[in-house]
Amino acid sequence: MKRSKLAVAVLTTLLATGFAFSAHAKGHKRHGDDGHEGRMESLIKELNVSADQKAKIKDLRNKNKEEMKKIREDIKELRAKMRTAWETDKPNRNKIMGIHKKIHNLKGQMGEMRIEFRLAVHKVLTPEQRKQAAKLLKERHEKRDGGECECDKGKRKGKKGRGHGPRF
């Protein structure tokens, strides 16, 4: 009798957890799930870009996407090496710091690539489209953050992500 109650409790917990995760996942997109591309597409539509401009932006985006993909793969490999380095009885400080610096440098490269991409798209747009894009992006930023962004004031709120202390 106790075993059947335990089995029912475990099964109920597993089902509830599964439903919760699937419901949560349906409402959220992660990087690489076309979330950024969807925003770019809607921005392009709102700016009423020409076919030539659209083709240029698409080429820029595809090139940037491939370069970013390679860097993300490199970071993923380095994170696996980092986990392995931490799993030893006596973690090697120099090895761990070396891997950390490589990951940090790759993330910096990604940030620079995002800026270069935005600058390249900016060059494709007309002055009027640039003004309209700036206005639309500002509206989206305000809508997303409910007004002035905390990050603009140097006071970020929210969950602490990676890099904010040990995760033991």
Side-chain angles (χ1 to χ4, degrees):
M1 187 68 171
K2 287 184 180 181
R3 281 188 174 182
S4 63
K5 286 183 181 180
L6 179 63
V8 169
V10 169
L11 184 59
T12 304
T13 303
L14 288 173
L15 287 172
T17 305
F19 287 127
F21 279 122
S22 67
H24 177 74
K26 286 180 183 177
H28 298 281
K29 290 188 174 189
R30 297 181 327 242
H31 290 289
D33 288 346
D34 295 332
H36 292 294
E37 288 184 28
R39 287 184 288 209
M40 177 64 80
E41 287 299 322
S42 68
L43 187 63
I44 287 172
K45 286 178 186 174
E46 291 178 65
L47 294 176
N48 199 24
V49 300
S50 69
D52 183 51
Q53 287 175 309
K54 190 173 184 176
K56 288 178 182 176
I57 292 170
K58 185 177 179 178
D59 288 342
L60 289 168
R61 184 176 56 219
N62 289 338
K63 181 183 174 196
N64 184 268
K65 188 176 179 180
E66 285 303 312
E67 291 172 358
M68 288 285 211
K69 183 179 178 181
K70 170 70 173 106
I71 292 176
R72 281 190 193 99
E73 289 170 1
D74 291 346
I75 290 173
K76 186 176 180 178
E77 289 175 17
L78 287 167
R79 284 185 176 151
K81 288 181 181 180
M82 179 76 84
R83 279 189 297 277
T84 302
W86 274 108
E87 290 171 355
T88 62
D89 288 336
K90 294 183 181 180
N92 182 320
R93 181 186 189 285
N94 291 335
K95 183 175 183 178
I96 290 170
M97 291 303 289
I99 294 169
H100 168 74
K101 287 177 183 177
K102 287 178 184 177
I103 292 171
H104 181 76
N105 289 337
L106 289 172
K107 286 183 176 184
Q109 285 179 18
M110 290 176 71
E112 290 172 7
M113 289 170 62
R114 281 189 288 273
I115 292 169
E116 292 295 337
F117 173 73
R118 279 189 74 174
L119 289 170
V121 170
H122 191 263
K123 287 181 182 178
V124 172
L125 301 175
T126 65
E128 185 59 39
Q129 289 170 329
R130 291 176 193 154
K131 287 179 189 175
Q132 181 68 15
K135 179 183 172 200
L136 291 169
L137 291 171
K138 182 179 180 187
E139 288 171 1
R140 288 179 186 181
H141 189 94
E142 289 173 350
K143 182 179 176 184
R144 181 187 71 217
D145 295 326
E148 187 178 6
C149 178
E150 288 298 318
C151 59
D152 292 340
K153 296 188 285 186
K155 299 177 185 175
R156 295 204 81 166
K157 291 185 177 179
K159 297 179 182 178
K160 299 242 188 268
R162 292 184 189 153
H164 294 280
R167 296 185 309 247
F168 293 104

